[in-house]
């Protein structure tokens, strides 16, 4: 598995996100790790409304499979060993009150069949500008989802993610 290649794709998605002072510009890629095929991509604010990268990625894949987003896991059979690459770890809380991406990822799982997203690859941990102490990695692991940090892209990812933020002097 070429983790760096898919993380670069996630970063390329993040670059498409319109800068906004109240969130981060993030990119996400859903991959079938058996065929190495990209199943879907997403970036922050890609879909209508106040949408996150992971949310857009899953919602687009759900739509392509004629499923509501809540049931996207049904299109991710165990044989795919589905992985989600996201430039920033998934949110566990959103100041807007929208459903966090952590919950959107966990609900893809069917513990009985072990289908759904198996692994989440992250590029950076979430800075504490909006929400303190993001606990996504522990929470993913508790749900049987592996969590792997892809090192080496942190500076680039944070620069893109905070593009719309006021610079501290
Ligand atoms: C991740 C995204 C995105 C964030 N994190 N992983 N992907 N925008 O696409 C996390 C940050 C929230 C704020 C504001 N950002 O975005 O904590 O308005 O953006 O729901 O808490 O919440 P809203
Ligand atoms: Zn999110």
């Amino acid at each position: 598995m070429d983790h760096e290649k898919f993380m670069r794709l996630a970063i390329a998605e993040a670059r498409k996100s319109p800068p906004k002072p109240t969130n981060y510009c993030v990119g996400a890629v859903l991959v079938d790790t058996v065929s190495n095929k990209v199943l879907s991509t997403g970036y922050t604010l890609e879909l209508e409304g106040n949408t996150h990268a992971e949310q857009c990625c899953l919602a687009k894949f759900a739509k392509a499979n004629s499923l509501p987003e809540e049931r996207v896991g049904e299109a991710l059979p165990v044989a795919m060993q589905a992985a989600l690459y996201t430039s920033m770890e998934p949110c566990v809380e959103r100041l807007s009150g929208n459903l966090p991406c952590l919950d959107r990822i966990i609900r893809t799982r069917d513990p009985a069949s072990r289908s759904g997203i198996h692994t989440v690859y992250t590029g950076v941990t979430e800075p504490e500008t909006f929400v303190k102490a993001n606990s996504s990695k522990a929470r993913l692991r508790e749900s049987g989802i592996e969590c792997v940090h892809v090192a080496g892209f942190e500076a680039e990812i944070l620069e893109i993610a905070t593009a719309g933020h006021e610079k501290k002097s």
Side-chain angles (χ1 to χ4, degrees):
M1 272 293 290
D2 193 344
H3 304 308
E4 295 187 355
K5 179 182 110 177
F6 290 122
M7 187 53 69
R8 281 200 191 91
L9 271 178
I11 294 169
E13 287 299 309
R15 283 189 192 284
K16 300 180 192 170
S17 173
K20 191 177 165 187
T22 57
N23 71 10
Y24 298 109
C25 299
V26 177
V29 179
L30 183 66
V31 179
D32 172 346
T33 68
V34 173
S35 68
N36 261 340
K37 284 213 172 79
V38 172
L39 299 168
S40 185
T41 61
Y43 59 88
T44 311
L45 302 179
E46 178 178 3
L47 297 182
E48 214 185 305
N50 178 10
T51 52
H52 279 193
E54 302 91 325
Q55 176 185 4
C56 292
C57 185
L58 293 174
K60 284 164 69 184
F61 185 65
K63 193 169 180 212
N65 285 278
S66 307
L67 286 164
E69 195 206 325
E70 312 85 77
R71 288 173 49 203
V72 67
E74 292 171 31
L76 297 168
V78 65
M80 269 183 185
Q81 296 287 315
L84 185 73
Y85 287 77
T86 182
S87 60
M88 184 178 289
E89 68 181 328
C91 64
V92 295
E93 187 192 334
R94 299 174 61 162
L95 293 186
S96 63
N98 285 337
L99 182 70
C101 295
L102 176 77
D103 301 291
R104 296 173 193 271
I105 293 166
I106 290 172
R107 74 181 172 187
T108 69
R109 295 282 294 180
D110 177 0
S113 65
R114 295 188 46 75
S115 63
I117 291 173
H118 284 246
T119 313
V120 174
Y121 293 92
T122 59
V124 292
T125 54
E126 181 177 346
E128 302 205 339
T129 310
F130 306 115
V131 174
K132 302 287 170 220
N134 184 319
S135 57
S136 66
K137 294 184 199 79
R139 305 262 301 272
L140 287 167
R141 288 184 186 122
E142 278 164 21
S143 303
I145 299 172
E146 250 194 277
C147 203
V148 181
H149 178 69
V150 180
F153 300 98
E154 292 84 353
E156 184 183 0
I157 287 172
L158 286 173
E159 196 188 324
I160 297 165
T162 59
H165 300 189
E166 213 174 289
K167 293 278 175 268
K168 289 197 195 102
S169 52

